[in-house]
Amino acid sequence: MKKIYLDNAATTRVDPEVFKAMQPYFSDFYGNPSSVHSFGHEAKKALESARLIAAGFINSDPQEIIFTGSGTESDNMAIKGIAFANHEKGNHIITSAIEHHAVLESCHSLEKSGFEVSYVPADPDGIVNLKELKKAIKKSTVLISVMHANNEIGTIQPVSEIGQIARSNNIYFHIDAVQTFGHLKIDVEDIGADLLSASAHKLYGPKGVGLIYVRRGTKINPLINGGSQENNMRASTQNVPGIVGFGKAIELASRNMEKEAILQTKLRDRLIDGVIATIDRSYLNGDRFKRLPNNASFSFDFIEGEGILLGLDMKGIAASSGSACSSGSMEPSHVLKSIGMANQLARGSVRFSLGRFNTREEIAYTLEVLVEIIDKLRKISPLTK
Ligand code: PLP
């Protein structure tokens, strides 16, 4: 059976060029970048070259890039690192209700340590409400953290406007760019971001490698203590092959990103238009236009997303749902809930996220299969009776 991967927001296949670039750093250039001998120098050179590529990609300086172990770690560092380093100035943080768990759980853990967090709602189109965000600002606010694009419904947030709001109130601004880094153009100066998180495995790089951009002069504590790696900001021997792969993945993205966005938008729109036109009571989640080029997230009345996923998987198609199975019942995602979607409809949500390796034929086949599955499931659904 042919397999079709439409879950690129969860992770991507490592690009063959990335894999090739990483290989020598396992077997030939395996030194510790902190070592003084030639093995160390070779590893250090590769590390700094990846740092230079990453910095240029977002219009920052290499000294402002810290390599981490994941997007989750970068988010944790941005939020906890700013909160603890600036608690004398204030103990209040603003974020949105539709953030990834890496941000939300970091905030929850700070609340347990006495910090105050405001969770700004998003509108039904999946865009964070700026009026509410402005209203949430207090004298004690030290950080605003809002994602660049939502991982479930793909909506792109007004980060430049938020950057201006943060700047004019003298508040640090962190953007979780895990879903956009390598897919959309990012300029930290234009956006006015002080901190930014990214993760290699979302752009055809390896898993377990992330980065955080920290604007020079930002008062922030490290999350991991130990050696003096990463300019004293992230102790641990660096994952050299992983970072080399990240650098290569960024290089490929800077070359191909615009072309790929055009191609993926075309495929995405075929899928969206096809689903809405052929499947009764199907709805696109999130704004039709302010969305990632690769994201098509739907809700279907009367059926559960998990059932659709199983049906798709049996036909070789990988997608994901916006629900999480907790204690035997399907709990709709916090994102769909917070944009005001009814539980029944939110349970019937499915996310297709396209990538570099998808084709028109794959999208046509997926649409065909999806129509059949939904028809079958609705015939047996007690909700349609
Ligand atoms: N933030 C967002 C928006 C994400 O989509 C993800 C991963 O799905 C993360 C953070 C966490 O990244 P990682 O998987 O590298 O820990």
Side-chain angles (χ1 to χ4, degrees), residues 9-10 70-73 75 100 102 147 149 151 176 178-179 199 201-202:
S70 63
T72 298
E73 184 190 323
D75 284 344
H100 188 270
M147 65 203 326
N151 47 299
D176 175 347
V178 170
Q179 289 292 337
S199 181
H201 75 103
K202 309 287 187 183

Side-chain angles (χ1 to χ4, degrees), residues 15-140:
D15 191 283
E17 279 195 57
V18 169
F19 187 54
K20 202 168 136 207
M22 290 171 70
Q23 272 172 323
Y25 291 89
F26 289 104
S27 49
D28 301 331
F29 310 121
Y30 48 81
N32 184 324
S34 301
S35 298
V36 294
H37 45 64
S38 66
F39 289 83
H41 285 170
E42 275 153 357
K44 174 96 175 143
K45 211 167 84 190
L47 200 63
E48 295 316 317
S49 151
R51 199 185 310 281
L52 197 67
I53 294 170
F57 189 59
I58 54 171
N59 190 22
S60 66
D61 284 339
Q63 300 95 305
E64 296 174 311
I65 301 292
I66 297 161
F67 288 112
T68 64
S70 63
T72 298
E73 184 190 323
S74 301
D75 284 344
N76 271 261
M77 177 169 163
I79 291 160
K80 296 175 188 169
I82 290 289
F84 285 112
N86 296 277
H87 68 101
E88 275 163 14
K89 184 174 171 234
N91 73 339
H92 179 236
I93 289 165
I94 298 174
T95 189
S96 89
I98 61 165
E99 297 299 306
H100 188 270
H101 288 294
V103 166
L104 292 177
E105 292 306 320
S106 296
C107 289
H108 292 156
S109 101
L110 285 177
E111 284 180 292
K112 286 183 195 143
S113 306
F115 289 90
E116 194 193 344
V117 183
S118 300
Y119 300 90
V120 175
D123 290 327
D125 59 1
I127 310 288
V128 171
N129 186 307
L130 293 189
K131 261 196 207 144
E132 294 292 329
L133 185 132
K134 279 187 206 155
K135 265 206 280 181
I137 295 174
K138 303 179 186 199
K139 273 214 173 74
S140 57

Side-chain angles (χ1 to χ4, degrees), residues 253-266:
S254 31
R255 236 188 285 149
N256 303 322
M257 195 166 69
E258 280 169 32
K259 271 182 281 167
E260 283 183 358
I262 294 170
L263 285 174
Q264 286 175 22
T265 302
K266 272 192 194 150

Side-chain angles (χ1 to χ4, degrees), residues 6 144 162 297:
L6 292 171
I144 298 176
I162 301 173
S297 166

